[in-house]
Amino acid sequence: SEKIREFLEKKQFNREDFEKRIMSYIETIILIKETCPYEIRLNMFLIQTEELNNRLVELCEKHIQTYVNAIKNYVYVDEASAVSQSIRDIQNKFSNMPKDTKALVQSDEFYKDVENREKQIIMHRYQDLIEWLMFLQMLPQPKFQETQEDEKNPLLNLHRSEEHTSELQSHLN
């Protein structure tokens, strides 16, 4: 548990590191279920190990869920919000029409910068988000339900980011 906490405090999330850690717990669960006896007979004694095995499996599942929750928080809260905010910032800048020649020149430079640099950065972050979401779907977890009514729904915010990205793309073209 201490190692998990130290790993998660780094905040330099890497899918491969998460996958290694989660897979080690999944493999441990499989080994416990397939190879550990549920009782041990010793001459006059019968030792019940089923409860111990179940507790070990629960502990592994708890650690897996800790990693999954950290990934969800990173993807749904941190990164999705950051991508959405970047797109909103650009949209706000596009919506403010320049009032004089100097501002027009600066806005033209900004548009070129968005087209050349910002667009690539946002697309890269968005692609990374998609890869994290695909990774999350492969993990053992209860499925996240999207509801249109829930304004705080991170998946809905991610969908809106996709819409903003499409709008931004149309502005750039």
Side-chain angles (χ1 to χ4, degrees):
S1 184
E2 181 70 26
K3 287 182 181 180
I4 294 172
R5 191 174 52 72
E6 288 174 9
F7 173 76
L8 295 176
E9 284 177 354
K10 285 191 254 176
K11 284 288 189 185
Q12 296 287 336
F13 290 168
N14 179 317
R15 276 184 297 283
E16 290 79 23
D17 292 341
F18 273 101
E19 185 173 11
K20 284 180 202 171
R21 290 170 178 270
I22 291 171
M23 288 309 295
S24 72
Y25 286 113
I26 291 173
E27 290 167 2
T28 301
I29 290 171
I30 292 169
L31 282 173
I32 290 170
K33 289 181 176 182
E34 292 180 356
T35 62
C36 290
Y38 285 92
E39 61 182 29
I40 300 173
R41 295 184 183 272
L42 299 172
N43 290 334
M44 300 284 290
F45 299 99
L46 176 64
I47 301 171
Q48 297 285 336
T49 58
E50 183 175 10
E51 185 179 328
L52 177 62
N53 292 348
N54 289 339
R55 280 193 283 170
L56 289 172
V57 167
E58 287 174 13
L59 183 63
C60 288
E61 289 172 344
K62 178 184 168 196
H63 290 321
I64 290 171
Q65 196 58 46
T66 301
Y67 285 122
V68 169
N69 290 341
I71 293 170
K72 284 180 178 181
N73 190 51
Y74 172 72
V75 170
Y76 296 140
V77 177
D78 299 342
E79 285 299 301
S81 298
V83 169
S84 295
Q85 187 60 47
S86 296
I87 292 170
R88 274 193 297 277
D89 291 345
I90 291 171
Q91 282 182 324
N92 289 338
K93 195 89 163 179
F94 277 134
S95 66
N96 296 332
M97 295 301 292
K99 296 186 180 13
D100 58 27
T101 307
K102 182 179 178 183
L104 182 62
V105 170
Q106 289 174 341
S107 67
D108 186 51
E109 290 171 4
F110 173 74
Y111 296 150
K112 288 177 183 175
D113 183 52
V114 166
E115 187 172 16
N116 295 328
R117 192 175 61 84
E118 292 293 323
K119 175 181 157 186
Q120 295 302 319
I121 292 170
I122 291 172
M123 295 302 278
H124 174 73
R125 289 182 80 182
Y126 188 72
Q127 181 62 37
D128 190 50
L129 273 175
I130 292 170
E131 290 172 11
W132 275 106
L133 287 170
M134 290 175 13
F135 178 67
L136 268 174
Q137 291 304 312
M138 294 182 340
L139 299 176
Q141 62 180 317
K143 298 294 181 218
F144 184 79
Q145 297 296 319
E146 179 179 4
T147 59
Q148 293 295 331
E149 308 81 55
D150 186 4
E151 286 299 315
K152 294 183 180 180
N153 183 330
L155 201 54
L156 185 57
N157 288 337
L158 189 60
H159 177 68
R160 288 184 182 144
S161 293
E162 180 183 11
E163 291 172 353
H164 293 309
T165 305
S166 298
E167 288 177 29
L168 180 60
Q169 182 68 32
S170 67
H171 285 296
L172 293 175
N173 293 335

